[in-house]
Amino acid sequence: MNRLSFLDRFLPVWIGVAMVAGLTLGRFVPGLQGVLDAVKVDGVSLPIALGLLLMMYPVLAKVRYDKLDTVTRDKRTMVLSLVLNWVLGPALMFALAWIFLADLPEYRTGLIIVGLARCIAMVIIWNDLACGDREAAAVLVALNSVFQVVMFGVLGWFYLDLLPGWLGLDTASIDFSAWEIAKSVLIFLGIPLVAGYLSRKLGERSRGRDWYESKFLPKIGPVALYGLLFTIVILFALQGETITSRPWDVVRIALPLLVYFAIMWAGSYALGKASGLSYERTTTLAFTAAGNNFELAIAVAIGVFGVTSGQALAGVVGPLVEVPVLVGLVYVSLWLRRRWVARAES
């Protein structure tokens, strides 16, 4: 914990303040939600896009792209990530949605959509704060992005139509464009990834790696957390009235999400450790498996079912639960790291 800056050390406080500020603004400032929601280009919220780009660029600028081959050669990490993200994760969310929300089909469908949207954004921040493997995170997030474009529609059909039919359950099919998914990936991952790669390549070419890592990166580092806090304020301001006006519904949706994050993170961490991965790669595996792409989930839910639908509310509750839970797991990871190092030295 000593290596964390003042901003990092009190991150839960700043995130709590940002969430409360966003909810308060969305609830009590007339017209703000409409103004923020109207600032869009081709359906993409510009304030949220700006926050995510600011959040992800500094972390991706830290990645040593010349070391990515060491990750791609690690077949164990790659296979575990694919299985956790695209087999176990969606199946677990499907089961929890039916266990906790069997009587609420709209929320249940929204929760299943959240489970299908694998994380490509904030996981990079959580992994970096927990001292995970940056290069592994970049590769696994890129892998998730490719699979997201290819598999989201297939898994949506399977979990919302085919499987419930097989089990004799109510069905709720969804219809959405593959371009919407690809667009989310290109904007929220592609732009900061290209910017981060070019920053390192051009910075090292002109000034050297020592200058780049000792001078340039410390200057842009805090921008990631400023972007994170800005994104949280905007996101919760957009949905503040919805969340505060339906508190019991929020609780019903939050319960299976809490169980999901706990099982996915702890299970992935235990699996990584049992498989002989290092602390850094175990941590990266756990966070990339536990996080979800709530931006995509909300966009799909709103696009298919409408902004006032129960499915959209379930998507909005996702970050309400995910942000504080995964921040807490960052601190759990750092505590485990100290024990891991101490055991290795003994």
Side-chain angles (χ1 to χ4, degrees), residues 85-86 89-90 93-94 110-118 260 292 297:
N85 274 287
W86 297 101
M93 190 70 90
F94 174 85
L111 208 64
I112 292 171
I113 292 173
V114 171
L116 299 179
R118 311 313 300 169
Y260 172 84
N292 291 88

Side-chain angles (χ1 to χ4, degrees), residues 31-323:
L32 178 63
Q33 183 174 353
V35 171
L36 290 174
D37 199 42
V39 187
K40 290 183 176 180
V41 173
D42 195 22
V44 177
S45 170
L46 289 185
I48 290 180
L50 175 63
L52 288 170
L53 295 178
L54 289 174
M55 178 182 77
M56 293 177 66
Y57 163 68
V59 179
L60 289 170
K62 294 177 182 178
V63 173
R64 290 187 173 182
Y65 292 92
D66 56 345
K67 291 188 174 182
L68 292 184
D69 62 328
T70 65
V71 182
T72 56
R73 290 199 304 266
D74 186 353
K75 299 298 188 292
R76 199 169 26 173
T77 299
M78 303 282 281
V79 170
L80 287 175
S81 179
L82 286 174
V83 171
L84 287 166
N85 274 287
W86 297 101
V87 179
L88 297 182
L92 176 61
M93 190 70 90
F94 174 85
L96 292 173
W98 276 98
I99 291 170
F100 284 88
L101 300 170
D103 59 327
L104 297 169
E106 288 191 1
Y107 297 156
R108 185 182 67 234
T109 299
L111 208 64
I112 292 171
I113 292 173
V114 171
L116 299 179
R118 311 313 300 169
C119 196
I120 64 168
M122 284 191 177
V123 67
I124 294 177
I125 284 282
W126 312 137
N127 177 74
D128 206 51
L129 290 172
C131 302
D133 187 320
R134 286 182 188 133
E135 286 70 37
V139 170
L140 296 185
V141 163
L143 195 65
N144 268 355
S145 300
V146 173
F147 266 74
Q148 198 141 240
V149 174
V150 175
M151 296 300 297
F152 191 95
V154 174
L155 290 175
W157 166 74
F158 178 77
Y159 282 108
L160 292 172
D161 192 2
L162 186 62
L163 184 58
W166 284 351
L167 299 175
L169 305 171
D170 293 333
T171 60
S173 60
I174 60 175
D175 181 30
F176 48 83
S177 166
W179 165 241
E180 292 298 318
I181 302 169
K183 182 172 63 178
S184 172
V185 172
L186 287 172
I187 292 173
F188 298 131
L189 176 65
I191 293 175
L193 182 61
V194 170
Y197 173 78
L198 290 177
S199 292
R200 179 171 281 278
K201 187 175 183 64
L202 297 176
E204 289 188 357
R205 179 183 295 174
S206 61
R207 304 291 293 274
R209 174 164 288 187
D210 183 63
W211 171 87
Y212 183 83
E213 297 193 343
S214 63
K215 301 294 184 183
F216 180 72
L217 290 182
K219 287 183 178 179
I220 66 169
V223 173
L225 294 184
Y226 298 147
L228 171 63
L229 297 177
F230 175 79
T231 303
I232 291 170
V233 171
I234 297 299
L235 185 65
F236 283 86
L238 281 168
Q239 304 295 338
E241 185 174 352
T242 303
I243 291 172
T244 55
S245 63
R246 298 156 79 175
W248 176 240
D249 288 356
V250 170
V251 172
R252 288 286 307 270
I253 298 167
L255 287 175
L257 282 168
L258 283 170
V259 176
Y260 172 84
F261 292 131
I263 291 176
M264 284 301 294
W265 190 89
S268 302
Y269 196 96
L271 186 60
K273 194 171 189 308
S275 300
L277 299 182
S278 65
Y279 164 82
E280 290 77 14
R281 292 206 174 166
T282 296
T283 298
T284 299
L285 183 71
F287 278 102
T288 52
N292 291 88
N293 185 358
F294 60 80
E295 304 89 5
L296 176 60
I298 292 171
V300 170
I302 290 175
V304 176
F305 301 103
V307 70
T308 60
S309 66
Q311 290 88 344
L313 178 61
V316 170
V317 174
L320 179 69
V321 178
E322 178 176 335
V323 169

